[in-house]
Amino acid sequence: MAEANRPEIQLKINSRRGIGTGNIIHPVEIESSPTPFLAATTAGNQTQTPSPFREIKHFKKWFPWLIPSFVVADTVLFVITMYVNDCPKNTVSCVATFLGRLSFQPFKENPLLGPSSSTLEKMGALDVSKVVDDHQGWRLITCIWLHGGLFHLLANMLSLLVIGIRLEQEFGFIRIGLLYVISGFGGSLLSALFLQSNISVGASGAVFGLLGGMLSELITNWTIYANKMAALFTLVIIIVINLAVGILPHVDNFAHLGGFSSGFLLGFVFLMRPQFGWVSQRYTSSYSRVGPRPKYKTYQLVLWLISLILVVAGMIAGLVSLLRGVNLNDYCSWCHYMSCVPTSRWSCDTNPVSCLSEQTGNQYTLTCSNNGKNGTYWLNDPNSSQIRGLCSQLCR
């Protein structure tokens, strides 16, 4: 008899999260109403039966401070790099000379409004020869925090803010920080295995790692999404467009691909959510008539294990191959098209520039070894940085 009069539990679900729309259920904690059992009221001969009310809330929101800190750090490092570059001292002509020591290299040398390649190398850019021959493996990490120019910095930082803040709010600074750094390392590693003639810098690999993490988070937490296919389609379109930009010259798409692949696998490891049934049962067990439910679904655990094995094995194999001087282009003759597709409008030649120099008094004649162009310059005691800058402009 007591079982028949037992009040029913009413669960109210707040769904606030989604890609573009609030369409995801994120249960985490339960909050009882101030009056869980409403007082019985009588109207004539009718009596309202008291019923408890409980609400399962969405997952805790974290305060995002790490991603903004990354943006500040990258911006400060760019200013420091431009200060070290000192264009007026080391280059014949500069852009935005009103900035003084912070002025940019000529457009022909650096169209992104930034420093010279020699300055970036000095600051810690990824240079495969230095990693392999001089054992400077730290460049695989330091290059993530450097940028080739103002345009490069603005594009990466805007993407990082848009993607990273949302993820940090949902999963916290530890998981997103690890995802960002490890993905950046993975991007640098793949870049070094394919692009061994030029230096590489930028946070693009780490940013693509966050995009990859978003995709795997959607897959592994599939059951908590309401508009699953719409969210998946939107995210895939965004990823495809961003990767397509990588086929343009002067863009390191191998860093994008390496970062995305690393982030995609790490998303299964770091961004897995408990299933809704386990969370709801945890807080309503006293009223539940069903058996206990597992915290994670079987497919989540399988993806977690496979991804962890793949990312660890891939990182170790890639690092060992790099330190042994392996060039993956020797094993894949068409892979270079994934980073740049040559057209009638641009060339994908990434060979380092070099020039032959002849001096007659203050007259210097440079001949580009790459394309045969020559130029004559009147210089008063130029330093090596000025000569390299003029050579770079001549060969481009």
Side-chain angles (χ1 to χ4, degrees):
M1 191 66 179
E3 181 68 23
N5 294 330
R6 184 175 181 177
E8 295 183 356
I9 293 293
Q10 297 180 1
L11 298 180
K12 181 180 179 182
I13 299 170
N14 285 348
S15 178
R16 298 185 181 178
R17 182 170 161 249
I19 301 178
T21 57
N23 58 4
I24 306 172
I25 299 170
H26 278 268
V28 66
E29 61 184 26
I30 200 164
E31 182 180 277
S32 299
S33 67
T35 56
F37 291 91
L38 302 176
T41 59
T42 304
N45 295 329
Q46 295 181 352
T47 302
Q48 182 178 351
T49 304
S51 62
F53 170 81
R54 293 191 174 190
E55 179 180 4
I56 296 182
K57 289 189 171 180
H58 61 288
F59 279 107
K60 171 185 176 182
K61 293 286 186 179
W62 297 78
F63 176 77
W65 62 268
L66 184 64
I67 294 300
S69 298
F70 286 167
V71 173
V72 172
D74 286 350
T75 304
V76 170
L77 279 173
F78 179 73
V79 174
I80 294 174
T81 302
M82 295 308 305
Y83 182 83
V84 173
N85 185 66
D86 195 5
C87 181
K89 178 181 178 181
N90 298 310
T91 307
V92 176
S93 60
C94 302
V95 177
T97 54
F98 62 89
L99 294 175
R101 186 163 180 161
L102 301 180
S103 56
F104 308 112
Q105 296 295 118
F107 275 112
K108 285 188 176 181
E109 181 181 353
N110 188 341
L112 299 176
L113 291 181
S116 65
S117 57
S118 59
T119 300
L120 289 172
E121 185 177 347
K122 185 188 302 182
M123 294 295 294
L126 177 57
D127 186 332
V128 176
S129 62
K130 292 187 178 297
V131 172
V132 177
D133 300 330
D134 300 336
H135 308 292
Q136 297 180 4
W138 45 268
R139 289 180 178 271
L140 293 166
I141 295 294
T142 56
C143 68
I144 302 172
W145 310 96
L146 300 173
H147 287 84
L150 184 61
F151 295 149
H152 189 201
L153 176 71
L154 291 176
N156 277 347
M157 294 305 98
L158 180 60
S159 301
L160 178 56
L161 286 173
V162 172
I163 300 169
I165 285 183
R166 171 190 171 273
L167 286 175
E168 188 178 353
Q169 286 176 330
E170 296 292 339
F171 296 98
F173 69 94
I174 295 179
R175 286 188 279 184
I176 298 307
L178 288 173
L179 177 63
Y180 181 87
V181 174
I182 299 175
S183 296
F185 176 80
S188 300
L189 195 56
L190 189 64
S191 174
L193 287 169
F194 278 101
L195 301 179
Q196 303 193 347
S197 59
N198 284 352
I199 64 172
S200 178
V201 294
S204 303
V207 174
F208 269 83
L210 297 182
L211 271 176
M214 289 179 66
L215 180 59
S216 55
E217 188 267 334
L218 170 62
I219 295 173
T220 193
N221 300 325
W222 188 254
T223 57
I224 68 175
Y225 278 81
N227 299 329
K228 299 177 176 62
M229 295 310 299
L232 178 62
F233 179 77
T234 302
L235 186 55
V236 169
I237 290 298
I238 293 173
I239 293 170
V240 169
I241 291 175
N242 280 274
L243 287 175
V245 175
I247 66 174
L248 298 174
H250 308 299
V251 178
D252 186 357
N253 210 28
F254 286 113
H256 297 173
L257 292 168
F260 177 81
S261 302
S262 302
F264 180 72
L265 293 175
L266 290 170
F268 291 115
V269 177
F270 291 144
L271 309 183
M272 185 168 61
R273 294 285 201 190
Q275 61 167 312
F276 175 72
W278 177 84
V279 177
S280 60
Q281 180 178 263
R282 180 181 178 185
Y283 295 102
T284 60
S285 57
S286 59
Y287 299 98
S288 177
R289 300 180 184 179
V290 298
R293 297 183 181 181
K295 185 173 182 180
Y296 300 105
K297 291 185 177 294
T298 302
Y299 80 88
Q300 288 180 298
L301 298 176
V302 171
L303 288 173
W304 181 91
L305 180 61
I306 293 175
S307 299
L308 183 62
I309 294 174
L310 288 177
V311 74
V312 172
M315 293 285 184
I316 293 176
L319 189 58
V320 170
S321 299
L322 176 63
L323 295 179
R324 289 184 175 180
V326 173
N327 186 342
L328 290 186
N329 290 294
D330 297 335
Y331 303 92
C332 181
S333 59
W334 57 267
C335 284
H336 62 278
Y337 291 117
M338 292 192 295
S339 184
C340 182
V341 177
T343 68
S344 59
R345 293 182 176 273
W346 63 71
S347 171
C348 294
D349 185 13
T350 59
N351 294 322
V353 298
S354 60
C355 294
L356 298 176
S357 175
E358 294 182 6
Q359 178 184 0
T360 304
N362 291 336
Q363 177 180 314
Y364 287 80
T365 301
L366 301 181
T367 303
C368 179
S369 302
N370 301 61
N371 55 27
K373 292 182 180 179
N374 59 72
T376 301
Y377 309 91
W378 294 88
L379 305 171
N380 292 320
D381 193 23
N383 55 37
S384 58
S385 297
Q386 291 176 319
I387 297 297
R388 283 197 301 268
L390 291 172
C391 177
S392 178
Q393 296 177 50
L394 185 64
C395 292
R396 297 189 185 279

